[in-house]
Amino acid sequence: MENYIVSARKYRPSTFNTVVGQKALTATLKNAIAGDRLAHAYLFCGSRGVGKTSCARIFAKTINCTHRTADGEACNECHSCQDFNSGRSLNIIELDAASHNGIDDMKALIEQVQVPPTDGRYRVFIIDEVHMLSTAAFNAFLKTLEEPPSYVIFILATTEKHKIIPTILSRCQIYDFNRITINDMVDHLSYVAHNEGITAEPAALGVIARHADGAMRDALSIFDQVAASSRGNITYASAIENLNVLDNSYFERLIDAFKSEDVRQALVVYSEVRDHGFDSLFFINGLAQYIRDLMVARDPLTVKLLEATDDVRLEMANRAQSLPPEFFYRAMNILGNADLNFRSSSNKQFLTELTLIKLCQLLSPSTPAMTPRGS
Ligand SMILES: [Zn+2]
């Protein structure tokens, strides 16, 4: 059997152009390198899995590359690049402050700072989760950050920018990484699937991307998991089953039931959901999210708040048009209350069914002050 490499590792970007979802930021970094306008310290901010550490490694490799491409990328062929790619380069030092945050870890790092590069131009020190350094480690680091040797570049990364003190912020060039959009993730997952000889329905990749909550690394791990259990043929059905996600078709049927004030249909759908082993609170929150998504999809101004592929956005926008805005506000209010009352309720099934009944009555003419449908 050939060696299996997990996708998150196999498809880790090795050039700025292969970083997913951070085009503007990587272009700026490339320009700074090409123009030799390098700062001594950078702060990379953003949630987990958006490419901060990958970009820091690519940056370190690119500034030391001896034959950068016309496009400003590392060549991946020169001696320095090969050392970087094989993990042998002495010009990159990484400290994970989440697990090594003490003064001794910092002292070891500062000692390294004093050593000039034997090969290449710069030594790059990456401190991940820099906000987790202990106070003593932090103070020791500040002195070095104030006057680093000319060959040293610090790249600090954090998921919690608000915890970084002004003394650090003022000494760093700050880069804010975006959450990766569903479209970008689906594109990248399609590319990986194609490369791996795996067939995948776009809707299934959408489910995976959404489950990954903005983190490309997580999306790739989930992709591997679903690919393994669906034997190389990732369908929408296999993805939702594998990830234990509620199929949107339940919610679509519920919306139809609310529109036609069909309480019986709503209760039947809920019963099916329970038969599939889903918890009632999970169901209430899933429905709340779906209704919220429909609401933002309904208006061109808010449709960008819907984390979905363009196809899904269009489909949900069409579905939402037949419902008045007030329906969404009231439905969200009812579902919000159901969520709040859930834990204290002694009969959770009753609470959920009552919630569905209220939702079925929302469009009833006897419910006052609702604007007509389609407005
Ligand atoms: Zn190179």
Side-chain angles (χ1 to χ4, degrees):
M1 192 181 144
E2 61 183 305
N3 281 339
Y4 176 71
I5 306 170
V6 296
S7 295
R9 185 152 174 203
K10 184 167 174 185
Y11 293 94
R12 180 180 289 162
S14 66
T15 56
F16 285 122
N17 283 352
T18 51
V19 174
V20 175
Q22 311 292 350
K23 287 269 174 290
L25 187 151
T26 50
T28 311
L29 283 175
K30 273 205 298 195
N31 282 336
I33 296 171
D36 214 10
R37 287 175 280 103
L38 299 179
H40 272 296
Y42 294 86
L43 179 65
F44 287 0
C45 310
S47 49
R48 55 185 295 274
V50 294
K52 300 186 299 296
T53 314
S54 292
C55 274
R57 290 179 185 150
I58 294 166
F59 184 87
K61 179 168 69 174
T62 310
I63 58 178
N64 279 301
C65 173
T66 52
H67 293 95
R68 279 200 294 273
T69 67
D71 187 28
E73 297 278 8
C75 71
N76 278 319
E77 281 166 12
C78 71
H79 183 68
S80 169
C81 280
Q82 287 187 353
D83 277 356
F84 267 95
N85 287 347
S86 63
R88 277 180 288 132
S89 178
L90 300 174
N91 287 340
I92 185 165
I93 292 95
E94 297 188 38
L95 179 75
D96 181 5
S99 51
H100 296 86
N101 63 356
I103 181 73
D104 290 338
D105 299 307
M106 186 47 73
K107 278 184 178 158
L109 183 129
I110 291 168
E111 242 166 60
Q112 284 287 314
V113 168
Q114 307 311 322
V115 183
T118 50
D119 202 21
R121 287 177 70 192
Y122 295 102
R123 299 192 80 203
V124 177
F125 292 77
I126 301 172
I127 306 181
D128 213 359
E129 300 297 0
V130 65
H131 62 276
M132 292 183 76
L133 286 177
S134 69
T135 311
F138 207 79
N139 290 334
F141 175 59
L142 263 183
K143 284 195 198 110
T144 310
L145 183 65
E146 273 164 16
E147 289 175 6
S150 60
Y151 52 82
V152 165
I153 291 179
F154 286 110
I155 300 181
L156 316 179
T158 184
T159 49
E160 307 199 31
K161 189 183 182 182
H162 59 279
K163 290 188 179 165
I164 307 293
I165 58 170
T167 343
I168 297 274
L169 291 176
S170 65
R171 285 176 171 76
C172 293
Q173 256 185 35
I174 300 170
Y175 285 82
D176 292 306
F177 284 64
N178 298 320
R179 273 169 67 84
I180 300 171
T181 65
I182 300 284
N183 270 331
D184 282 346
M185 279 204 202
V186 168
D187 283 352
H188 189 61
L189 291 175
S190 305
Y191 161 77
V192 171
H194 179 77
N195 241 7
E196 296 292 313
I198 290 167
T199 56
E201 292 176 2
L205 297 181
V207 170
I208 293 173
R210 195 159 172 153
H211 211 67
D213 198 24
M216 195 67 233
R217 192 168 52 221
D218 291 356
L220 287 166
S221 303
I222 298 169
F223 173 86
D224 285 350
Q225 175 195 328
V226 178
S229 66
S230 50
R231 295 167 194 276
N233 179 25
I234 302 180
T235 58
Y236 176 74
S238 70
I240 60 165
E241 192 194 319
N242 207 274
L243 300 175
N244 218 13
V245 174
L246 267 169
D247 188 344
N248 269 356
S249 67
Y250 290 122
F251 300 136
E252 288 160 8
R253 285 163 62 205
L254 282 172
I255 293 293
D256 289 341
F258 302 155
K259 273 193 217 169
S260 53
E261 296 163 46
D262 190 344
V263 171
R264 292 170 309 165
Q265 176 63 15
L267 296 184
V268 167
V269 172
Y270 171 48
S271 147
E272 287 175 23
V273 167
R274 288 174 61 225
D275 288 347
H276 279 87
F278 290 103
D279 170 75
S280 295
L281 185 59
F282 185 73
F283 166 71
I284 287 173
N285 287 327
L287 180 58
Q289 179 71 38
Y290 183 79
I291 286 178
R292 177 268 179 198
D293 286 350
L294 274 183
M295 181 192 71
V296 297
R298 192 179 183 281
D299 190 304
L301 194 68
T302 50
V303 70
K304 62 172 182 279
L305 303 180
L306 175 59
E307 290 202 334
T309 59
D310 293 341
D311 291 351
V312 171
R313 281 182 176 166
L314 188 65
E315 198 251 272
M316 290 192 77
N318 287 335
R319 193 177 294 278
Q321 289 314 315
S322 58
L323 290 158
E326 292 85 348
F327 168 82
F328 297 103
Y329 307 153
R330 292 185 180 185
M332 285 164 81
N333 193 21
I334 289 170
L335 287 161
N337 284 332
D339 177 49
L340 283 176
N341 295 331
F342 197 82
R343 277 169 198 87
S344 57
S345 166
S346 58
N347 188 340
K348 298 179 194 318
Q349 182 184 338
F350 174 81
L351 174 80
T352 310
E353 289 178 343
L354 180 62
T355 301
L356 291 172
I357 293 168
K358 285 182 190 164
L359 290 168
C360 284
Q361 290 174 337
L362 273 183
L363 292 170
S364 156
S366 60
T367 308
M370 183 78 87
T371 23
R373 291 180 203 187
S375 70

